[in-house]
Amino acid sequence: MHDGILYTGVPNRQELKNAPGIPAADSIGAGGTAFIECLQTIACNPCEANCPTGAISIGAQISNRPVLDAKKCVGCGTCVSKCPGLAITVIARKRDDATTVLSLPYEYFPLPSAGDTVAAVDREGRFVCDANVLNVKPMSAHQSTSVVKIEFPEEYTFKVKSINTFHWRSNNG
Amino acid sequence: MKELEREILIIGAGPAGISAAIEAAKAGAKVTVADEHDTIGGQLYKQIHKFFGAADNHAGMRGFEIARKLEQEAKELGVEFWLNTVAYGIFKEGVGIVRDGDNFIVKAKKVIVAAGGIENTTAFPGSTLPGVMLAGAAQTMTNIHRVLPGKRMVVVGSGNVGLIVAYQMLQAGAEVLAVVERDDHIGGYGVHAEKIRTAGVPILTDTIIKCASGKTSVEGVTTVKLGADGAEIAGSEQEFNADTVIMAVGMAPLTELLWNIGCRFEFIGELGGYVPVHNEFMQTSVDGIYAAGDITGVEEASVAMEEGCIAGIAAASACGHISAEECSARCASHIDALAVLESGEYDGERSAARAKKLELYKASEK
Ligand SMILES: Cc1cc2nc3c(=O)[nH]c(=O)nc-3n(C[C@H](O)[C@H](O)[C@H](O)COP(=O)(O)OP(=O)(O)OC[C@H]3O[C@@H](n4cnc5c(N)ncnc54)[C@H](O)[C@@H]3O)c2cc1C
Ligand code: SF4
Ligand code: SF4
C-alpha cells in the first residue's frame, strides 16, 4: 500500500520531517517561525517574493522547493496568507504554559472570533483537540485569506494542521 | 459580406490573449481582441482561488483579480475589446465574425488565436442524469452566479482542477463526499490535495464511478475499485448518498480554428491531444497566424501569459513596428521564463513536448 502525499494527499512522517523550512524544535521561539509544508517541486514562488525579511529562498528556478532561513524569520505571517497552497503556518511556543500557538490560513465561513473554542484537526480532517482562538485577521487584510491564531497543548504541535468551523462529518469519531 | 480591417486580431480574451494584446500594443500595434463571452479573462474569470506560478505573473493573486489587472492594463494601452463576439472560422479572405447579430469578415494583417481549451468528459451508467456536470459548469454556477449546484457531491478526477473544484464547493457550503481517481496516485499538486484532506474529504485512488442512479436526477453514486489489471474488483463497491457528480477529467486544446486554416498538427498526449506546431515566436505553420495559451497545449495561466507576450511581440514585429532584433530581445525573457515554468516534477515532459513542436515546425519549413 502506497502512502505519502502523492498517493493519499497526506504527507507521511518522513515527508514531514524533510519538509523545507521545518523549524528545528529548539528554534521555535516565542515569536514564531514559519513551517513550510511544501513538499513537491512545483513552479511557484509567492512565498519568496513576499517575505519582508528574505527568509525564504527559492531562486530563479522557481520549481525549486522553498528553503527557510529560520534565523531571518520573524514570524510575521505574511507568507501564510500569500501562499496559494495554504502550505505555510507559523508555529510559536509558550513554554510557561506548555502550549503551542499556531497561525494558519483559513478560507471558510463562518470565521471564528477571538475567545472562541474551536476544533483543531489533523491532516485528514479528524478532531485532535480543542483550541482557543487568540486572534483572527480579517479576510480583507489578505486578499480574502484570513489568518487564525490558535493555542493548544504543545504535545499536538505537528499533529494539528488546521481547524474546522464549517461542518462535521462522521469521520470525526 | 461586410468587411472590416484591423491590424492585429486576437481571438480569445483569456490570459494568453490579453497578454498578447498588451505586448503588441506596447510595441505600437493597433490591437483588437474578440471573445465570445461577455466578460474579459477566459478561465481566470471563474477562478476564486489564489493562483500558483511565478510571482512575476501575478501568482498569489486570485484568478479573477489577475483578469481585472490584465484587462485594465490592456485598456489603458488602447486595446479594443469585442465581447459577445464569436470567431467562427479563419479563411483566406479573413476571419469570420458574428457580433451583435451582425456577420462580417475581419481582414487583419496578423491573427493570434488564443482560444484556450475545452473540458473532457467521461461516461458511466447514469452520466446523462441531471446533476452530473463538468467542473467548469459547477464553477460558473457557484463562483459567478452564486448558485450551489447541489448539496452532496462526488468529484471525478484528482488533477488540479478536480482538487480545486472540490475545495471551492466546500467553501461554498456543499459537502464533498469523495474525490475519485482512476490512477493509483493523485494527479494534482500535493498542497491542493492537502487542503481538501484537511477538510475531511477522502481521495479514493484506483477507483471509478460504477454508476449514478436516480429517477429524474442523481440520488446516489456507486464507486468501485480497480485491480492492478484495470478490472473492477467485485465487492469493492461503495455507495455515496450524492446529488451531484462533478467531472474534472482533463482538458483538450480548442483547435478547430487552426485546423480550419490548415495549420500543421501533432499528437502530443502530455499536452492534451492534437496541438499546432509552432516556432519559438508562437508562429504556426500558416504564415501570419500565431497561437498562444492552452490552445498550444493545456498547461497553466503563467505559461499562457508568457506565450501570449511572445506572440504579441512577434506579431507586432511582423507588422513592422519593431525590428527583428528588438523582437528577439523583448521575447528573450519570456522564452527563458517558459523553460523555468516547464520544469519541476509535474512538468518535466512539457519542456520536451515544447521542443518537439519547435522541431516539427522546423522540419515543416524545409
Ligand atoms: C479550475 C481551474 C484552476 C486553475 N488554476 C490555475 C492556477 O492555479 N495557476 C495557473 O497558472 N493556471 C491555472 N489554471 C489554468 C489556467 O486557467 C489556464 O491555463 C489559462 O486560463 C489558459 O489561458 P488561455 O488564455 O490560453 O485560455 P482561456 O483562459 O481558456 O481563454 C480562452 C478564451 O477564448 C475564448 N474563445 C474561444 N474560442 C473562441 C471563438 N471561436 N471566438 C471567440 N472567443 C473564443 C473563450 O471564450 C475564452 O474566454 C486553472 C484552470 C482551471 C480550469
Ligand atoms: S513568517 Fe514572515 S518573516 Fe517568516 S518566512 Fe514568513 S513572511 Fe518571512
Ligand atoms: S507559495 Fe506556497 S506553494 Fe508556492 S512555493 Fe511557496 S510554499 Fe510552496
mmCIF file with all atom_site columns, all heavy atoms in Angstrom, chain A residues 6 8 37 40-41 45 61 81 107 143 145 169, chain B residues 50 55 62 167 186 190 194-195 197 199 343 345:
data_model
loop_
_atom_site.group_PDB
_atom_site.id
_atom_site.type_symbol
_atom_site.label_atom_id
_atom_site.label_alt_id
_atom_site.label_comp_id
_atom_site.label_asym_id
_atom_site.label_entity_id
_atom_site.label_seq_id
_atom_site.pdbx_PDB_ins_code
_atom_site.Cartn_x
_atom_site.Cartn_y
_atom_site.Cartn_z
_atom_site.occupancy
_atom_site.B_iso_or_equiv
_atom_site.pdbx_formal_charge
_atom_site.auth_seq_id
_atom_site.auth_comp_id
_atom_site.auth_asym_id
_atom_site.auth_atom_id
_atom_site.pdbx_PDB_model_num
ATOM 1   N N   . LEU A 1 6   ? 1.676   11.954 -2.469  1.00 0.00 ? 6   LEU A N   1
ATOM 2   C CA  . LEU A 1 6   ? 1.274   11.686 -3.853  1.00 0.00 ? 6   LEU A CA  1
ATOM 3   C C   . LEU A 1 6   ? 0.110   10.692 -3.930  1.00 0.00 ? 6   LEU A C   1
ATOM 4   O O   . LEU A 1 6   ? -0.699  10.731 -4.849  1.00 0.00 ? 6   LEU A O   1
ATOM 5   C CB  . LEU A 1 6   ? 2.479   11.136 -4.632  1.00 0.00 ? 6   LEU A CB  1
ATOM 6   C CG  . LEU A 1 6   ? 2.277   10.848 -6.105  1.00 0.00 ? 6   LEU A CG  1
ATOM 7   C CD1 . LEU A 1 6   ? 1.918   12.118 -6.874  1.00 0.00 ? 6   LEU A CD1 1
ATOM 8   C CD2 . LEU A 1 6   ? 3.536   10.224 -6.705  1.00 0.00 ? 6   LEU A CD2 1
ATOM 9   N N   . THR A 1 8   ? -2.040  9.740  -1.095  1.00 0.00 ? 8   THR A N   1
ATOM 10  C CA  . THR A 1 8   ? -3.171  9.933  -0.168  1.00 0.00 ? 8   THR A CA  1
ATOM 11  C C   . THR A 1 8   ? -3.517  11.402 0.028   1.00 0.00 ? 8   THR A C   1
ATOM 12  O O   . THR A 1 8   ? -4.564  11.714 0.586   1.00 0.00 ? 8   THR A O   1
ATOM 13  C CB  . THR A 1 8   ? -2.818  9.361  1.220   1.00 0.00 ? 8   THR A CB  1
ATOM 14  O OG1 . THR A 1 8   ? -1.712  10.113 1.736   1.00 0.00 ? 8   THR A OG1 1
ATOM 15  C CG2 . THR A 1 8   ? -2.442  7.890  1.129   1.00 0.00 ? 8   THR A CG2 1
ATOM 16  N N   . GLU A 1 37  ? 5.027   23.586 4.586   1.00 0.00 ? 37  GLU A N   1
ATOM 17  C CA  . GLU A 1 37  ? 4.704   22.207 4.223   1.00 0.00 ? 37  GLU A CA  1
ATOM 18  C C   . GLU A 1 37  ? 4.512   22.109 2.712   1.00 0.00 ? 37  GLU A C   1
ATOM 19  O O   . GLU A 1 37  ? 3.457   21.760 2.213   1.00 0.00 ? 37  GLU A O   1
ATOM 20  C CB  . GLU A 1 37  ? 3.432   21.802 4.972   1.00 0.00 ? 37  GLU A CB  1
ATOM 21  C CG  . GLU A 1 37  ? 3.301   20.319 5.151   1.00 0.00 ? 37  GLU A CG  1
ATOM 22  C CD  . GLU A 1 37  ? 2.180   19.971 6.117   1.00 0.00 ? 37  GLU A CD  1
ATOM 23  O OE1 . GLU A 1 37  ? 2.097   20.588 7.202   1.00 0.00 ? 37  GLU A OE1 1
ATOM 24  O OE2 . GLU A 1 37  ? 1.379   19.098 5.773   1.00 0.00 ? 37  GLU A OE2 1
ATOM 25  N N   . GLN A 1 40  ? 6.650   19.310 -2.839  1.00 0.00 ? 40  GLN A N   1
ATOM 26  C CA  . GLN A 1 40  ? 6.951   18.887 -4.208  1.00 0.00 ? 40  GLN A CA  1
ATOM 27  C C   . GLN A 1 40  ? 7.620   20.024 -4.977  1.00 0.00 ? 40  GLN A C   1
ATOM 28  O O   . GLN A 1 40  ? 7.542   21.173 -4.575  1.00 0.00 ? 40  GLN A O   1
ATOM 29  C CB  . GLN A 1 40  ? 5.653   18.461 -4.896  1.00 0.00 ? 40  GLN A CB  1
ATOM 30  C CG  . GLN A 1 40  ? 5.005   17.281 -4.205  1.00 0.00 ? 40  GLN A CG  1
ATOM 31  C CD  . GLN A 1 40  ? 3.577   17.048 -4.669  1.00 0.00 ? 40  GLN A CD  1
ATOM 32  O OE1 . GLN A 1 40  ? 2.829   17.991 -4.888  1.00 0.00 ? 40  GLN A OE1 1
ATOM 33  N NE2 . GLN A 1 40  ? 3.204   15.799 -4.813  1.00 0.00 ? 40  GLN A NE2 1
ATOM 34  N N   . THR A 1 41  ? 8.241   19.680 -6.094  1.00 0.00 ? 41  THR A N   1
ATOM 35  C CA  . THR A 1 41  ? 8.893   20.724 -6.887  1.00 0.00 ? 41  THR A CA  1
ATOM 36  C C   . THR A 1 41  ? 7.896   21.262 -7.910  1.00 0.00 ? 41  THR A C   1
ATOM 37  O O   . THR A 1 41  ? 7.777   20.750 -9.008  1.00 0.00 ? 41  THR A O   1
ATOM 38  C CB  . THR A 1 41  ? 10.135  20.162 -7.609  1.00 0.00 ? 41  THR A CB  1
ATOM 39  O OG1 . THR A 1 41  ? 9.735   19.008 -8.348  1.00 0.00 ? 41  THR A OG1 1
ATOM 40  C CG2 . THR A 1 41  ? 11.214  19.782 -6.634  1.00 0.00 ? 41  THR A CG2 1
ATOM 41  N N   . ASN A 1 45  ? 6.303   30.680 -6.534  1.00 0.00 ? 45  ASN A N   1
ATOM 42  C CA  . ASN A 1 45  ? 7.215   31.421 -5.647  1.00 0.00 ? 45  ASN A CA  1
ATOM 43  C C   . ASN A 1 45  ? 6.658   32.638 -4.899  1.00 0.00 ? 45  ASN A C   1
ATOM 44  O O   . ASN A 1 45  ? 7.446   33.461 -4.428  1.00 0.00 ? 45  ASN A O   1
ATOM 45  C CB  . ASN A 1 45  ? 8.474   31.843 -6.417  1.00 0.00 ? 45  ASN A CB  1
ATOM 46  C CG  . ASN A 1 45  ? 8.184   32.920 -7.462  1.00 0.00 ? 45  ASN A CG  1
ATOM 47  O OD1 . ASN A 1 45  ? 7.034   33.242 -7.741  1.00 0.00 ? 45  ASN A OD1 1
ATOM 48  N ND2 . ASN A 1 45  ? 9.232   33.492 -8.019  1.00 0.00 ? 45  ASN A ND2 1
ATOM 49  N N   . GLN A 1 61  ? 15.155  29.353 -10.503 1.00 0.00 ? 61  GLN A N   1
ATOM 50  C CA  . GLN A 1 61  ? 14.473  28.115 -10.905 1.00 0.00 ? 61  GLN A CA  1
ATOM 51  C C   . GLN A 1 61  ? 13.302  27.936 -9.954  1.00 0.00 ? 61  GLN A C   1
ATOM 52  O O   . GLN A 1 61  ? 13.424  27.320 -8.896  1.00 0.00 ? 61  GLN A O   1
ATOM 53  C CB  . GLN A 1 61  ? 15.463  26.946 -10.808 1.00 0.00 ? 61  GLN A CB  1
ATOM 54  C CG  . GLN A 1 61  ? 14.894  25.618 -11.269 1.00 0.00 ? 61  GLN A CG  1
ATOM 55  C CD  . GLN A 1 61  ? 14.519  25.630 -12.733 1.00 0.00 ? 61  GLN A CD  1
ATOM 56  O OE1 . GLN A 1 61  ? 15.272  26.113 -13.568 1.00 0.00 ? 61  GLN A OE1 1
ATOM 57  N NE2 . GLN A 1 61  ? 13.330  25.146 -13.044 1.00 0.00 ? 61  GLN A NE2 1
ATOM 58  N N   . SER A 1 81  ? -0.537  34.008 4.433   1.00 0.00 ? 81  SER A N   1
ATOM 59  C CA  . SER A 1 81  ? -1.700  34.386 3.627   1.00 0.00 ? 81  SER A CA  1
ATOM 60  C C   . SER A 1 81  ? -1.364  34.528 2.152   1.00 0.00 ? 81  SER A C   1
ATOM 61  O O   . SER A 1 81  ? -2.247  34.574 1.317   1.00 0.00 ? 81  SER A O   1
ATOM 62  C CB  . SER A 1 81  ? -2.302  35.686 4.145   1.00 0.00 ? 81  SER A CB  1
ATOM 63  O OG  . SER A 1 81  ? -1.349  36.716 4.060   1.00 0.00 ? 81  SER A OG  1
ATOM 64  N N   . GLU A 1 107 ? -9.933  29.880 4.906   1.00 0.00 ? 107 GLU A N   1
ATOM 65  C CA  . GLU A 1 107 ? -10.755 30.471 3.839   1.00 0.00 ? 107 GLU A CA  1
ATOM 66  C C   . GLU A 1 107 ? -12.192 29.967 3.862   1.00 0.00 ? 107 GLU A C   1
ATOM 67  O O   . GLU A 1 107 ? -12.832 29.881 2.822   1.00 0.00 ? 107 GLU A O   1
ATOM 68  C CB  . GLU A 1 107 ? -10.129 30.171 2.470   1.00 0.00 ? 107 GLU A CB  1
ATOM 69  C CG  . GLU A 1 107 ? -8.751  30.775 2.261   1.00 0.00 ? 107 GLU A CG  1
ATOM 70  C CD  . GLU A 1 107 ? -8.203  30.536 0.853   1.00 0.00 ? 107 GLU A CD  1
ATOM 71  O OE1 . GLU A 1 107 ? -8.515  29.488 0.255   1.00 0.00 ? 107 GLU A OE1 1
ATOM 72  O OE2 . GLU A 1 107 ? -7.465  31.409 0.356   1.00 0.00 ? 107 GLU A OE2 1
ATOM 73  N N   . GLN A 1 143 ? -6.216  39.656 0.873   1.00 0.00 ? 143 GLN A N   1
ATOM 74  C CA  . GLN A 1 143 ? -6.833  39.109 -0.335  1.00 0.00 ? 143 GLN A CA  1
ATOM 75  C C   . GLN A 1 143 ? -7.710  37.916 0.006   1.00 0.00 ? 143 GLN A C   1
ATOM 76  O O   . GLN A 1 143 ? -7.625  36.853 -0.583  1.00 0.00 ? 143 GLN A O   1
ATOM 77  C CB  . GLN A 1 143 ? -5.765  38.694 -1.337  1.00 0.00 ? 143 GLN A CB  1
ATOM 78  C CG  . GLN A 1 143 ? -5.107  39.886 -1.977  1.00 0.00 ? 143 GLN A CG  1
ATOM 79  C CD  . GLN A 1 143 ? -3.884  39.463 -2.747  1.00 0.00 ? 143 GLN A CD  1
ATOM 80  O OE1 . GLN A 1 143 ? -3.177  38.545 -2.369  1.00 0.00 ? 143 GLN A OE1 1
ATOM 81  N NE2 . GLN A 1 143 ? -3.634  40.131 -3.837  1.00 0.00 ? 143 GLN A NE2 1
ATOM 82  N N   . THR A 1 145 ? -7.778  35.775 2.387   1.00 0.00 ? 145 THR A N   1
ATOM 83  C CA  . THR A 1 145 ? -7.357  34.649 3.219   1.00 0.00 ? 145 THR A CA  1
ATOM 84  C C   . THR A 1 145 ? -7.191  35.177 4.634   1.00 0.00 ? 145 THR A C   1
ATOM 85  O O   . THR A 1 145 ? -6.412  36.092 4.879   1.00 0.00 ? 145 THR A O   1
ATOM 86  C CB  . THR A 1 145 ? -6.015  34.063 2.756   1.00 0.00 ? 145 THR A CB  1
ATOM 87  O OG1 . THR A 1 145 ? -6.134  33.671 1.393   1.00 0.00 ? 145 THR A OG1 1
ATOM 88  C CG2 . THR A 1 145 ? -5.636  32.847 3.585   1.00 0.00 ? 145 THR A CG2 1
ATOM 89  N N   . ARG A 1 169 ? -18.376 15.844 10.095  1.00 0.00 ? 169 ARG A N   1
ATOM 90  C CA  . ARG A 1 169 ? -18.701 14.611 9.384   1.00 0.00 ? 169 ARG A CA  1
ATOM 91  C C   . ARG A 1 169 ? -18.547 13.422 10.300  1.00 0.00 ? 169 ARG A C   1
ATOM 92  O O   . ARG A 1 169 ? -17.983 13.501 11.375  1.00 0.00 ? 169 ARG A O   1
ATOM 93  C CB  . ARG A 1 169 ? -17.739 14.445 8.222   1.00 0.00 ? 169 ARG A CB  1
ATOM 94  C CG  . ARG A 1 169 ? -17.924 15.483 7.205   1.00 0.00 ? 169 ARG A CG  1
ATOM 95  C CD  . ARG A 1 169 ? -17.370 15.013 5.887   1.00 0.00 ? 169 ARG A CD  1
ATOM 96  N NE  . ARG A 1 169 ? -17.484 16.137 4.992   1.00 0.00 ? 169 ARG A NE  1
ATOM 97  C CZ  . ARG A 1 169 ? -16.706 17.187 5.085   1.00 0.00 ? 169 ARG A CZ  1
ATOM 98  N NH1 . ARG A 1 169 ? -15.757 17.241 5.993   1.00 0.00 ? 169 ARG A NH1 1
ATOM 99  N NH2 . ARG A 1 169 ? -16.887 18.186 4.274   1.00 0.00 ? 169 ARG A NH2 1
ATOM 100 N N   . LYS B 2 50  ? -6.350  31.493 -5.135  1.00 0.00 ? 50  LYS B N   1
ATOM 101 C CA  . LYS B 2 50  ? -5.084  32.167 -5.415  1.00 0.00 ? 50  LYS B CA  1
ATOM 102 C C   . LYS B 2 50  ? -4.273  31.312 -6.379  1.00 0.00 ? 50  LYS B C   1
ATOM 103 O O   . LYS B 2 50  ? -4.157  30.107 -6.195  1.00 0.00 ? 50  LYS B O   1
ATOM 104 C CB  . LYS B 2 50  ? -4.313  32.352 -4.113  1.00 0.00 ? 50  LYS B CB  1
ATOM 105 C CG  . LYS B 2 50  ? -4.972  33.378 -3.228  1.00 0.00 ? 50  LYS B CG  1
ATOM 106 C CD  . LYS B 2 50  ? -4.163  33.653 -1.988  1.00 0.00 ? 50  LYS B CD  1
ATOM 107 C CE  . LYS B 2 50  ? -4.828  34.782 -1.239  1.00 0.00 ? 50  LYS B CE  1
ATOM 108 N NZ  . LYS B 2 50  ? -4.226  35.027 0.070   1.00 0.00 ? 50  LYS B NZ  1
ATOM 109 N N   . ALA B 2 55  ? 5.520   34.728 -9.215  1.00 0.00 ? 55  ALA B N   1
ATOM 110 C CA  . ALA B 2 55  ? 5.020   35.991 -8.678  1.00 0.00 ? 55  ALA B CA  1
ATOM 111 C C   . ALA B 2 55  ? 5.035   37.065 -9.761  1.00 0.00 ? 55  ALA B C   1
ATOM 112 O O   . ALA B 2 55  ? 4.194   37.951 -9.792  1.00 0.00 ? 55  ALA B O   1
ATOM 113 C CB  . ALA B 2 55  ? 5.850   36.418 -7.469  1.00 0.00 ? 55  ALA B CB  1
ATOM 114 N N   . ARG B 2 62  ? -5.789  36.127 -6.715  1.00 0.00 ? 62  ARG B N   1
ATOM 115 C CA  . ARG B 2 62  ? -6.884  35.243 -7.136  1.00 0.00 ? 62  ARG B CA  1
ATOM 116 C C   . ARG B 2 62  ? -7.122  35.414 -8.634  1.00 0.00 ? 62  ARG B C   1
ATOM 117 O O   . ARG B 2 62  ? -6.904  36.487 -9.181  1.00 0.00 ? 62  ARG B O   1
ATOM 118 C CB  . ARG B 2 62  ? -8.143  35.568 -6.327  1.00 0.00 ? 62  ARG B CB  1
ATOM 119 C CG  . ARG B 2 62  ? -7.936  35.238 -4.881  1.00 0.00 ? 62  ARG B CG  1
ATOM 120 C CD  . ARG B 2 62  ? -9.105  35.479 -3.974  1.00 0.00 ? 62  ARG B CD  1
ATOM 121 N NE  . ARG B 2 62  ? -8.639  35.278 -2.611  1.00 0.00 ? 62  ARG B NE  1
ATOM 122 C CZ  . ARG B 2 62  ? -8.576  34.087 -2.011  1.00 0.00 ? 62  ARG B CZ  1
ATOM 123 N NH1 . ARG B 2 62  ? -9.006  33.011 -2.637  1.00 0.00 ? 62  ARG B NH1 1
ATOM 124 N NH2 . ARG B 2 62  ? -8.092  33.969 -0.789  1.00 0.00 ? 62  ARG B NH2 1
ATOM 125 N N   . TYR B 2 167 ? -12.481 21.947 -3.416  1.00 0.00 ? 167 TYR B N   1
ATOM 126 C CA  . TYR B 2 167 ? -12.242 22.949 -2.361  1.00 0.00 ? 167 TYR B CA  1
ATOM 127 C C   . TYR B 2 167 ? -13.245 24.094 -2.474  1.00 0.00 ? 167 TYR B C   1
ATOM 128 O O   . TYR B 2 167 ? -13.815 24.548 -1.475  1.00 0.00 ? 167 TYR B O   1
ATOM 129 C CB  . TYR B 2 167 ? -10.804 23.462 -2.493  1.00 0.00 ? 167 TYR B CB  1
ATOM 130 C CG  . TYR B 2 167 ? -10.399 24.468 -1.442  1.00 0.00 ? 167 TYR B CG  1
ATOM 131 C CD1 . TYR B 2 167 ? -10.432 24.143 -0.089  1.00 0.00 ? 167 TYR B CD1 1
ATOM 132 C CD2 . TYR B 2 167 ? -9.969  25.744 -1.803  1.00 0.00 ? 167 TYR B CD2 1
ATOM 133 C CE1 . TYR B 2 167 ? -10.055 25.067 0.875   1.00 0.00 ? 167 TYR B CE1 1
ATOM 134 C CE2 . TYR B 2 167 ? -9.577  26.670 -0.846  1.00 0.00 ? 167 TYR B CE2 1
ATOM 135 C CZ  . TYR B 2 167 ? -9.624  26.327 0.495   1.00 0.00 ? 167 TYR B CZ  1
ATOM 136 O OH  . TYR B 2 167 ? -9.251  27.239 1.445   1.00 0.00 ? 167 TYR B OH  1
ATOM 137 N N   . ILE B 2 186 ? -2.541  10.630 -6.949  1.00 0.00 ? 186 ILE B N   1
ATOM 138 C CA  . ILE B 2 186 ? -3.266  11.884 -7.131  1.00 0.00 ? 186 ILE B CA  1
ATOM 139 C C   . ILE B 2 186 ? -2.622  12.671 -8.274  1.00 0.00 ? 186 ILE B C   1
ATOM 140 O O   . ILE B 2 186 ? -1.397  12.793 -8.333  1.00 0.00 ? 186 ILE B O   1
ATOM 141 C CB  . ILE B 2 186 ? -3.230  12.687 -5.811  1.00 0.00 ? 186 ILE B CB  1
ATOM 142 C CG1 . ILE B 2 186 ? -3.997  11.904 -4.736  1.00 0.00 ? 186 ILE B CG1 1
ATOM 143 C CG2 . ILE B 2 186 ? -3.813  14.083 -5.989  1.00 0.00 ? 186 ILE B CG2 1
ATOM 144 C CD1 . ILE B 2 186 ? -3.824  12.436 -3.337  1.00 0.00 ? 186 ILE B CD1 1
ATOM 145 N N   . GLY B 2 190 ? 0.238   18.290 -4.410  1.00 0.00 ? 190 GLY B N   1
ATOM 146 C CA  . GLY B 2 190 ? 0.029   17.852 -3.036  1.00 0.00 ? 190 GLY B CA  1
ATOM 147 C C   . GLY B 2 190 ? -0.597  18.923 -2.158  1.00 0.00 ? 190 GLY B C   1
ATOM 148 O O   . GLY B 2 190 ? -1.454  18.631 -1.325  1.00 0.00 ? 190 GLY B O   1
ATOM 149 N N   . GLU B 2 194 ? -3.908  18.415 -0.007  1.00 0.00 ? 194 GLU B N   1
ATOM 150 C CA  . GLU B 2 194 ? -3.918  18.581 1.457   1.00 0.00 ? 194 GLU B CA  1
ATOM 151 C C   . GLU B 2 194 ? -5.057  19.471 1.937   1.00 0.00 ? 194 GLU B C   1
ATOM 152 O O   . GLU B 2 194 ? -5.624  19.257 2.996   1.00 0.00 ? 194 GLU B O   1
ATOM 153 C CB  . GLU B 2 194 ? -2.573  19.157 1.927   1.00 0.00 ? 194 GLU B CB  1
ATOM 154 C CG  . GLU B 2 194 ? -1.628  18.110 2.448   1.00 0.00 ? 194 GLU B CG  1
ATOM 155 C CD  . GLU B 2 194 ? -0.583  18.705 3.373   1.00 0.00 ? 194 GLU B CD  1
ATOM 156 O OE1 . GLU B 2 194 ? -0.851  18.853 4.571   1.00 0.00 ? 194 GLU B OE1 1
ATOM 157 O OE2 . GLU B 2 194 ? 0.519   19.032 2.876   1.00 0.00 ? 194 GLU B OE2 1
ATOM 158 N N   . LYS B 2 195 ? -5.374  20.498 1.130   1.00 0.00 ? 195 LYS B N   1
ATOM 159 C CA  . LYS B 2 195 ? -6.461  21.398 1.546   1.00 0.00 ? 195 LYS B CA  1
ATOM 160 C C   . LYS B 2 195 ? -7.753  20.628 1.764   1.00 0.00 ? 195 LYS B C   1
ATOM 161 O O   . LYS B 2 195 ? -8.454  20.858 2.730   1.00 0.00 ? 195 LYS B O   1
ATOM 162 C CB  . LYS B 2 195 ? -6.740  22.449 0.449   1.00 0.00 ? 195 LYS B CB  1
ATOM 163 C CG  . LYS B 2 195 ? -5.736  23.549 0.332   1.00 0.00 ? 195 LYS B CG  1
ATOM 164 C CD  . LYS B 2 195 ? -6.216  24.548 -0.730  1.00 0.00 ? 195 LYS B CD  1
ATOM 165 C CE  . LYS B 2 195 ? -5.064  25.348 -1.264  1.00 0.00 ? 195 LYS B CE  1
ATOM 166 N NZ  . LYS B 2 195 ? -5.429  26.188 -2.412  1.00 0.00 ? 195 LYS B NZ  1
ATOM 167 N N   . ARG B 2 197 ? -8.104  17.231 2.012   1.00 0.00 ? 197 ARG B N   1
ATOM 168 C CA  . ARG B 2 197 ? -7.955  16.160 3.008   1.00 0.00 ? 197 ARG B CA  1
ATOM 169 C C   . ARG B 2 197 ? -8.118  16.744 4.406   1.00 0.00 ? 197 ARG B C   1
ATOM 170 O O   . ARG B 2 197 ? -8.731  16.141 5.275   1.00 0.00 ? 197 ARG B O   1
ATOM 171 C CB  . ARG B 2 197 ? -6.567  15.483 2.889   1.00 0.00 ? 197 ARG B CB  1
ATOM 172 C CG  . ARG B 2 197 ? -6.321  14.639 1.652   1.00 0.00 ? 197 ARG B CG  1
ATOM 173 C CD  . ARG B 2 197 ? -7.302  13.509 1.438   1.00 0.00 ? 197 ARG B CD  1
ATOM 174 N NE  . ARG B 2 197 ? -7.740  12.815 2.631   1.00 0.00 ? 197 ARG B NE  1
ATOM 175 C CZ  . ARG B 2 197 ? -7.234  11.681 3.102   1.00 0.00 ? 197 ARG B CZ  1
ATOM 176 N NH1 . ARG B 2 197 ? -6.254  11.087 2.470   1.00 0.00 ? 197 ARG B NH1 1
ATOM 177 N NH2 . ARG B 2 197 ? -7.711  11.117 4.186   1.00 0.00 ? 197 ARG B NH2 1
ATOM 178 N N   . ALA B 2 199 ? -9.924  19.048 5.248   1.00 0.00 ? 199 ALA B N   1
ATOM 179 C CA  . ALA B 2 199 ? -11.347 19.284 5.487   1.00 0.00 ? 199 ALA B CA  1
ATOM 180 C C   . ALA B 2 199 ? -12.106 17.965 5.607   1.00 0.00 ? 199 ALA B C   1
ATOM 181 O O   . ALA B 2 199 ? -13.336 17.951 5.698   1.00 0.00 ? 199 ALA B O   1
ATOM 182 C CB  . ALA B 2 199 ? -11.934 20.126 4.352   1.00 0.00 ? 199 ALA B CB  1
ATOM 183 N N   . SER B 2 343 ? 9.395   23.107 -15.721 1.00 0.00 ? 343 SER B N   1
ATOM 184 C CA  . SER B 2 343 ? 10.311  22.192 -15.060 1.00 0.00 ? 343 SER B CA  1
ATOM 185 C C   . SER B 2 343 ? 9.648   21.795 -13.754 1.00 0.00 ? 343 SER B C   1
ATOM 186 O O   . SER B 2 343 ? 8.555   22.220 -13.460 1.00 0.00 ? 343 SER B O   1
ATOM 187 C CB  . SER B 2 343 ? 11.653  22.891 -14.818 1.00 0.00 ? 343 SER B CB  1
ATOM 188 O OG  . SER B 2 343 ? 11.453  24.053 -14.057 1.00 0.00 ? 343 SER B OG  1
ATOM 189 N N   . GLU B 2 345 ? 8.700   18.479 -10.868 1.00 0.00 ? 345 GLU B N   1
ATOM 190 C CA  . GLU B 2 345 ? 8.325   17.068 -11.013 1.00 0.00 ? 345 GLU B CA  1
ATOM 191 C C   . GLU B 2 345 ? 7.042   16.860 -11.799 1.00 0.00 ? 345 GLU B C   1
ATOM 192 O O   . GLU B 2 345 ? 6.795   15.786 -12.317 1.00 0.00 ? 345 GLU B O   1
ATOM 193 C CB  . GLU B 2 345 ? 8.253   16.386 -9.647  1.00 0.00 ? 345 GLU B CB  1
ATOM 194 C CG  . GLU B 2 345 ? 7.192   16.893 -8.730  1.00 0.00 ? 345 GLU B CG  1
ATOM 195 C CD  . GLU B 2 345 ? 7.503   16.500 -7.275  1.00 0.00 ? 345 GLU B CD  1
ATOM 196 O OE1 . GLU B 2 345 ? 8.451   17.043 -6.683  1.00 0.00 ? 345 GLU B OE1 1
ATOM 197 O OE2 . GLU B 2 345 ? 6.784   15.644 -6.768  1.00 0.00 ? 345 GLU B OE2 1
#
